[in-house]
Amino acid sequence: MIKHADVVIGLSYGDEGKGKVVNSLLKNESYTHCMRFNGGHNAGHTIHKEDKIFSTHVIPTGYLQNVQPIIGPGCVVSPRLLEEEYEHIATRGFTGNKKIFIDKRVNIISAQHLSEDSNEVSIGTTRRGNGPAYRDKYARKNLRFGSFNTWNNGFFEVVDVYEELHGEKECKVLMEGAQAVGLDIDWGDYPYVTSSHCGVAGAIQNGIPFNKIRNVYGVAKAYDTYVGSKKFETDDPVFEKIREQGMEYGTTTGRPRQVGFLDLDLLQRSAIMNGVTHIVLNKVDILEKVNTWKVVKDKEVLDLKNKTEFTRTISEMLMKNVETLKNIYFSESPKDI
Ligand code: IMP
Ligand code: MG
């Protein structure tokens, strides 16, 4: 049975540093399972482990910490890309001691889905077949991992998440989100969104009782970034500097990310709707390097004087308005954690 579940979600448009937060929670708390709950290979988590950097896409970060990894029923997975990712991690010198569990309900991203998405331009997808796979899932004509009796591989195992989490043993689960509330199919800026549910609702849909949720970690950055076809970046030379200093290029596609000032209205809305208990605001050091402390509040750009005023303004606003919030952590770019 589940003792408790903690959830990590993105509050902006992805690439906030969720991988770093998940990795440090896995190290500091005693979880039995780490479950990816939405999306597919569109995600790109950068994990700094000892002296190596790993880019993961669909393999839960728990795999790198030997905490039972599960790919939950809310996800879509290409068997071919999964194998490539496993090999990427193995060639960098890490092989986990736990098999990757894949729920039997996980929908398959087929070669057809990949090729259909491969020349998509209007949304600016990551071209990893997500949209077509979810479309066919909801049209009820897709294949799932459980559609096949045997899988000829040594590193994953098809399971039933219900049996794994709701049996005799006590489970403490870390739910690892991908993308972010600003890209959520319902709550994002439609149609410039992904095809899954990126918030806490997406997590509990994977067989997690809502009242077993303990902490909800909402992750954001000191500035916003977005990748995709809509025009997001405005004319301010500081954005180019932030992109360079912050190395804001896609983990999955290498595309330059568009940069904007931190949208506190979106941040607050995302935090309220998801009952966020802890906010981690990453990469404050990058704003320090470019010496700009601007944020967007009530749809206007607010020019804050310095780091102290920046942290104070954000803390005061969010602690006052987000009832569930217990703590805000202002953090730096990932080093070895
Ligand atoms: P899709 O999820 O590949 O269909 O892409 C839909 C939109 O979500 C595009 O704007 C992508 O750039 C964006 N997106 C999807 N996954 C990520 C991510 O992990 N980080 C940032 N943006 C993402
Ligand atoms: Mg990413």
Side-chain angles (χ1 to χ4, degrees):
M1 81 302 265
I2 295 181
K3 183 164 186 243
H4 57 245
D6 291 341
V7 185
V8 177
I9 58 170
L11 297 178
S12 308
Y13 301 97
D15 307 314
E16 302 96 341
K18 295 180 286 296
K20 167 183 146 174
V21 173
V22 168
N23 204 38
S24 94
L25 286 169
L26 286 169
K27 281 190 173 175
N28 297 311
E29 307 269 333
S30 55
Y31 298 105
T32 56
H33 296 79
C34 171
M35 189 183 338
R36 255 296 294 278
F37 65 81
N38 73 299
H41 307 265
N42 49 354
H45 286 178
T46 309
I47 311 293
H48 295 237
K49 185 175 159 63
E50 285 130 36
D51 55 343
K52 294 187 181 121
I53 297 179
F54 295 88
S55 310
T56 60
H57 299 286
V58 81
I59 294 179
T61 303
Y63 177 70
L64 296 169
Q65 299 294 350
N66 293 319
V67 173
Q68 182 59 60
I70 313 184
I71 300 178
C75 298
V76 288
V77 173
S78 147
R80 179 172 71 76
L81 294 183
L82 175 65
E83 181 145 5
E84 277 177 25
E85 185 178 334
Y86 174 80
E87 293 299 334
H88 159 89
I89 297 173
T91 20
R92 311 212 77 179
F94 182 83
T95 309
N97 67 13
K98 300 259 192 310
K99 276 199 181 190
I100 298 162
F101 286 173
I102 303 186
D103 185 70
K104 63 183 186 180
R105 302 163 189 85
V106 169
N107 272 247
I108 288 180
I109 302 174
S110 66
Q112 179 78 43
H113 293 145
L114 285 167
S115 97
E116 194 182 326
D117 203 24
S118 68
N119 44 23
E120 202 286 335
V121 286
S122 62
I123 305 298
T125 70
T126 59
R127 302 181 164 183
R128 295 299 184 276
N130 269 59
Y134 278 111
R135 178 199 61 210
D136 286 350
K137 163 179 168 165
Y138 285 103
R140 293 156 295 172
K141 58 181 190 189
N142 204 31
L143 290 169
R144 311 200 293 179
F145 272 75
S147 308
F148 304 93
N149 289 328
T150 51
W151 285 90
N152 197 12
N153 81 89
F155 71 92
F156 71 78
E157 187 178 328
V158 178
V159 301
D160 183 339
V161 155
Y162 179 82
E163 284 166 16
E164 178 61 23
L165 297 182
H166 299 285
E168 289 285 289
K169 35 171 215 238
E170 185 178 83
C171 301
K172 299 181 221 163
V173 191
L174 182 59
M175 301 297 288
E176 178 175 14
Q179 291 83 47
V181 180
L183 291 171
D184 181 272
I185 182 78
D186 290 327
W187 293 101
D189 188 12
Y190 191 90
Y192 299 103
V193 295
T194 189
S195 300
S196 65
H197 297 288
C198 311
V200 171
I204 61 179
Q205 183 55 23
N206 286 251
I208 307 296
F210 75 92
N211 46 9
K212 294 289 172 110
I213 304 272
R214 185 179 62 166
N215 295 325
V216 178
Y217 296 88
V219 189
K221 271 190 298 214
Y223 49 91
D224 282 339
T225 59
Y226 159 84
V227 224
S229 295
K230 88 175 157 185
K231 177 150 171 51
F232 180 80
E233 193 167 308
T234 53
D235 294 329
D236 190 324
V238 80
F239 295 139
E240 185 59 43
K241 286 192 205 151
I242 293 178
R243 184 163 32 249
E244 292 309 315
Q245 292 293 337
M247 291 182 290
E248 296 298 347
Y249 297 89
T251 317
T252 303
T253 58
R255 291 179 291 178
R257 296 171 181 150
Q258 300 185 62
V259 181
F261 298 123
L262 176 63
D263 182 348
L264 288 175
D265 305 324
L266 172 66
L267 188 64
Q268 176 166 306
R269 192 180 74 149
S270 303
I272 288 175
M273 281 196 304
N274 287 283
V276 164
T277 57
H278 300 72
I279 288 178
V280 182
L281 202 79
N282 280 318
K283 289 193 160 178
V284 178
D285 54 319
I286 305 299
L287 290 192
E288 203 147 29
K289 279 186 185 149
V290 302
N291 196 26
T292 289
W293 299 99
K294 291 183 185 164
V295 296
V296 175
K297 190 167 178 258
D298 303 322
K299 299 204 169 92
E300 303 218 340
V301 175
L302 210 62
D303 192 356
L304 303 170
K305 278 202 303 286
N306 50 39
K307 185 174 171 180
T308 313
E309 208 187 311
F310 177 83
T311 53
R312 185 167 44 79
T313 306
I314 296 172
S315 302
E316 277 177 10
M317 170 179 170
L318 296 174
M319 288 308 250
K320 173 167 167 265
N321 298 328
V322 185
E323 205 191 318
T324 51
L325 190 61
K326 294 181 184 158
N327 234 322
I328 305 184
Y329 306 92
F330 293 91
S331 184
E332 309 224 316
S333 302
K335 295 184 194 78
D336 203 33
I337 50 166

